[in-house]
Amino acid sequence: MNLDESHLEDLALGAVFLATGGGGDPYVSKLLTALAFKKYGPVNLIEVSELSDDAHVVTIGGVGAPTVGLELLPSQNESFEALLAYEKHTGRKVDALVSFEIGGGNSLIPIMAALAKGIPVVDGDGMGRALPEAQMMTYAICGACPTPAVALDYEGNATLFSTKDTHTFERHIRGLTQASGGMMLSIDHPMTGAFLKKAIIPGTVSFSVKLGALLRENRGSAEQLLSPLQALFKDSVYGECRLLYTGKVTDKHNSVVGGFDVGEVTIASFEEQTPPMSICIKNEYLIAKLDGKVVASVPDLIVIVEYETSSPINAERLRYGQRLAVFAIGCPEFYRTPEALKAVSPRCFGFDLDYVPLEAI
Amino acid sequence: MHIGIDVGGTHTDAVLISGDDILASTKALTSADIVTGVVNALTTILTDGVVSGTQIDAIMIGTTQFTNAVVERRELSEVAAIRIGLPSGEGLPPMVDWPADIKAAVGNHAYMIKGGYLYDNWPLAQFDEAEINDVLHDIKRKGLTNISIASAFSPMNPEPELFLAEKVKAVIPEAKITLSHNIGRLGILERENASILNTALLDFADRVVDAFGMAINKLGIQCPVFISQNDGTLMNASYVKKFPALTFASGPTNSLRGAFKLSGVANAIVVDIGGTTSDIGVLQNGFPRESSAIVDIGGIRTNFRMPDINAIGLGGGSMVTPDGLQIGPQSVGHRLVDDGLVFGGDILTATDLIVAAGGAEIGDKTKLQQLSKEVVASGIKTINQMLDRGIDMMKLNSEPVPVILVGGGAVLVSGDLKSASQVLRPKHAEVANAIGASIAKISGESEKMVSYQNIPRDKAIEEVKQEAFKRAIAAGASEVSLEMVDIEETAIPYMDGACTKLRIKVMGDVKALASTTHNKIEEASS
């Protein structure tokens, strides 16, 4: 399908919902993508099955601190320049681009680069949501080598990586990002078309457009949204969708641990008898507990929206007194395999508990 | 003795206050020149209070003039908007996302140059003297004198903005300049927007503040004049000439603060019921609870602090379905006096229900004879349910809280509300805004990104606090009364080294009321 400026608002809104609290505010990326659509016209969004098996596909996105991104703005051409730098330093020609993660602004970066280069974007991503670290991507879990990879900073300085595994790559690129102003573009995990067909969460870009349209058309209280939302998720890679809770923020605390924003938010119910809900955060919303009992956990999606409008809210914008609704959504089946859970279960985030699928709670 | 004034788009309200007593109050029409309306309101309260102008110690003014100017795209000056931060943000010039009409109103003169610092104070790029000269001479050639300067990370390091301001003054000595670090927080697009809007309002601010001064001078009043800002605190009049944008949204804030003063209850829910909506806000220790959302003013994103308001579609003019089960959000608005049943119209409104139930005496009650008792009862129930739900959403726990009713539509509430521990209907509620302005304090705020590994937390807090003190004193606070009222720490994700955004707010008494010497204000003497 062709994706154009008319899809942009919905895509970005759906992407914030799927970002489960992380991913940063896509506002600036949205402005730049709108400029790119005006300049180049629509982008060719292809299904993964349309890729030839020997196609050379790379994944592209931003790495860094969303708060830094509030001041160090991206530039119009930098995603294209990152792509050119990759081709120059690896000597490989890129046939198509795919997103790290559908959640947040990273859903738009492949589109900007692909528009400038005149190549397609694959409909899908490596997370089906947002997650904080590169080794949690489906591409890495399926065994893709993270490099050769190229990172580009705001000044156009390029760095070429040749790294043994994704864990090491993640650590190295974080270090480099801190020394480069706090925000970089990365092109990594080069894959063949045949490989990507096994490793992608398919269809999430077009799904995000549908989800955004649904949120826009059903702007209103979370209770009113629930039924159309359930209908949409039921026919997707996700499945289950529940309204877990409605209430007000009574406490939020956070601190930086190991380069991540770690914290907890407590929400008190609008109803008198219901106990409060607490949600653990590590960039994204990871564990939801009601009265100490886990009611949803990563890799299932926990989404917090503003109660009155159902607009999704990022973790950094949660504040004392806000009125919220909490949704839980089943993750794609890919993440429920023993192999994937080694990378994304609650234990990978330092929680002493096993993953229980949403439907089993 | 002091005076509170609220200069709105339609009405100019004034109250005369001595200690805690309201000696006189009035509601007059706002005049096109502002001066006449203020003179009329002041004359009325001085006469009613049997007080002479020389007995007034201070005047506090709340005004929506600057917000209205932005919303209506009038009284705006052309602005040269310079951003320091290339090569970052290339392709996203200042005002890139503004509505076309207001972009045109300020001339759309956008400039971007190299320079600035990164989050860790490493240079983002070096200044280029030739590039700066080209920009400044282009601005001079266009004859622009209102200039906004915004630099990446300037709340952490304002040096590039200060450096460029000196360069501007050398080339354009008469320039009126806003530096973004003086007006906004982290988030360059929103802070730059605030800075540009402020710069566009500087000439209008001169006129409005001078008009206030002239009105006050005419009545022989010689005392400090303050203007209220969006957080319920005051600026002195000369400060408003530099930062008019800080008055945005002072209206709802003054209404909440006025409700506090009128009721004496510091922790409560305030319901301001108008013709179309009920605005529900929260008083915490006598001040409005703030919203954290991005605030849109006239279609432009800013990061001003605003009170958290839950507006529900229920007012005196709200239309009611024949069964009384659905009220609003459609309202007959100001046509209530023609369209409402009690006024001889044919539309059932919330006001008609209350009059029928005997809750208020408005219009002609005999016109409501067709209305069944059941419909009236279910309508009254619906009103209370809507308010209870709106109030519950704003509360922090399920405990009933006091609810203060202000605004012309307060009569809609008959009896008690389930959500309220008590319902307060203070006297003078119709001039709550002017009273809110009259009791405002003076605040200062400062924000910085710090690493607690490089600077101990205590020392960082002390440094930021001192900067906030300086800002409060510059705004007219008495130094001895200053105290810290809020610390906000935000950790920066992905950054090791305990990098934290630290924001501190301080507040103090109005110096003019605390001390015995009253300096004549410059507006009154000129």
Side-chain angles (χ1 to χ4, degrees), chain A residues 7-143:
Chain A
H7 300 105
L8 187 54
E9 282 294 329
D10 290 343
L11 171 57
L13 182 58
V16 176
F17 191 95
L18 295 174
T20 64
D25 182 352
Y27 184 74
V28 172
S29 305
K30 209 167 66 182
L31 286 177
L32 286 175
T33 310
L35 292 172
F37 277 130
K38 283 198 177 79
K39 189 166 173 188
Y40 301 106
V43 72
N44 185 12
L45 182 71
I46 61 169
E47 284 181 38
V48 69
S49 60
E50 295 176 59
L51 278 176
S52 71
D53 281 352
D54 60 353
H56 186 64
V57 188
V58 289
T59 179
I60 179 171
V63 176
T67 313
V68 165
L70 293 175
E71 290 286 328
L72 188 68
L73 297 174
S75 300
Q76 199 173 354
N77 294 322
E78 70 181 23
S79 49
F80 180 43
E81 278 159 18
L83 183 52
L84 294 180
Y86 173 86
E87 291 192 335
K88 180 178 154 197
H89 293 291
T90 63
R92 299 292 305 269
K93 190 178 143 298
V94 175
D95 299 312
L97 292 172
V98 67
S99 171
F100 290 174
E101 56 182 347
I102 189 66
N106 273 341
S107 58
L108 301 176
I109 292 173
I111 295 173
M112 285 187 262
L115 278 169
K117 186 84 197 315
I119 56 174
V121 172
V122 184
D123 189 359
D125 74 306
M127 292 183 175
R129 47 172 295 158
L131 286 164
E133 298 182 41
Q135 73 274 5
M136 297 172 174
M137 281 196 293
T138 56
Y139 316 135
I141 293 166
C142 286

Side-chain angles (χ1 to χ4, degrees), chain B residues 202-454:
Chain B
L202 288 174
D203 298 315
F204 185 47
D206 279 342
R207 293 197 293 278
V208 170
V209 173
D210 287 344
F212 291 157
M214 253 154 55
I216 291 159
N217 208 17
K218 260 189 188 171
L219 297 173
I221 305 174
Q222 294 185 342
C223 70
V225 175
F226 296 94
I227 295 177
S228 71
Q229 58 178 327
N230 49 25
D231 64 353
T233 62
L234 296 166
M235 301 176 275
N236 63 40
S238 58
Y239 198 77
V240 178
K241 286 189 168 187
K242 288 187 207 148
F243 298 108
L246 294 180
T247 63
F248 291 162
S250 56
T253 301
N254 284 339
S255 143
L256 279 152
R257 291 278 293 154
F260 159 59
K261 181 66 184 175
L262 288 169
S263 65
V265 181
N267 291 289
I269 303 265
V270 177
V271 185
D272 187 343
I273 308 179
T276 304
T277 63
S278 295
D279 295 342
I280 304 172
V282 180
L283 276 174
Q284 282 177 330
N285 301 320
F287 280 87
R289 187 175 79 203
E290 287 175 5
S291 162
S292 58
I294 294 275
V295 179
D296 182 306
I297 294 170
I300 297 167
R301 280 163 70 98
T302 68
N303 50 14
F304 287 113
R305 287 168 293 118
M306 303 285 180
D308 183 14
I309 298 288
N310 181 17
I312 61 173
L314 172 68
S318 293
M319 288 154 73
V320 183
T321 55
D323 55 10
L325 293 174
Q326 275 279 341
I327 303 182
Q330 285 79 30
S331 167
V332 296
H334 65 271
R335 296 191 320 272
L336 176 64
V337 290
D338 297 319
D339 293 354
L341 296 184
V342 282
F343 298 105
D346 52 11
I347 297 175
L348 178 59
T349 66
T351 300
D352 299 319
L353 293 177
I354 290 300
V355 173
E361 287 182 21
I362 302 167
D364 181 0
K365 195 177 173 177
T366 60
K367 298 204 185 295
L368 301 174
Q369 279 157 359
Q370 304 295 322
L371 216 50
S372 83
K373 275 208 174 81
E374 291 71 36
V375 170
V376 172
S378 79
I380 299 286
K381 201 171 145 202
T382 308
I383 290 176
N384 285 19
Q385 278 172 348
M386 287 173 78
L387 287 172
D388 274 329
R389 184 171 169 74
I391 290 165
D392 275 339
M393 282 162 60
M394 295 297 279
K395 278 164 32 180
L396 288 175
N397 56 52
S398 56
E399 297 299 310
V401 287
V403 170
I404 309 167
L405 299 177
V406 296
V411 293
L412 288 191
V413 183
S414 52
D416 290 334
L417 289 167
K418 215 173 77 186
S419 54
S421 59
Q422 57 180 142
V423 177
L424 302 161
R425 296 177 167 82
K427 253 189 181 175
H428 301 293
E430 70 288 352
V431 288
N433 284 25
I435 287 162
S438 79
I439 57 157
K441 288 196 171 204
I442 290 187
S443 75
E445 192 184 295
S446 181
E447 179 183 88
K448 203 175 176 186
M449 202 104 85
V450 292
S451 166
Y452 292 148
Q453 285 181 355
N454 299 334

Side-chain angles (χ1 to χ4, degrees), chain A residues 27-28 35 64-65 70-71 73-76 154 174 178 181-182 248 256 258-259 272 283 307-308 319 322-323, chain B residues 87-92 97 119 124 152-153 187-188 191 292 301 389 392-395 398 491 493-496:
Chain A
Y27 184 74
V28 172
L35 292 172
L70 293 175
E71 290 286 328
L73 297 174
S75 300
Q76 199 173 354
Y154 71 94
R174 290 275 168 220
Q178 288 198 40
K248 289 157 294 191
V256 174
E272 289 181 27
N283 294 345
Y307 177 76
E308 289 92 344
R319 293 287 184 281
Q322 275 172 333
R323 300 169 295 282
Chain B
S88 79
E90 193 272 320
L92 288 174
D97 56 343
Y119 77 95
L124 191 158
F153 296 99
I188 188 164
R191 184 176 70 251
S292 58
R301 280 163 70 98
R389 184 171 169 74
D392 275 339
M393 282 162 60
M394 295 297 279
K395 278 164 32 180
S398 56
Y494 299 109
M495 288 294 150
D496 281 327

Side-chain angles (χ1 to χ4, degrees), chain A residues 302-352:
Chain A
I302 298 166
V303 181
I304 297 183
V305 302
E306 192 176 53
Y307 177 76
E308 289 92 344
T309 62
S310 297
S311 307
I313 301 184
N314 287 335
E316 69 267 20
R317 282 186 50 215
L318 287 179
R319 293 287 184 281
Y320 190 77
Q322 275 172 333
R323 300 169 295 282
L324 309 172
V326 183
F327 287 99
I329 288 139
C331 67
E333 283 305 316
F334 181 99
Y335 277 120
R336 290 178 170 177
T337 60
E339 208 50 44
L341 284 170
K342 276 186 210 158
V344 297
S345 80
R347 293 191 189 281
C348 304
F349 298 86
F351 299 102
D352 187 21

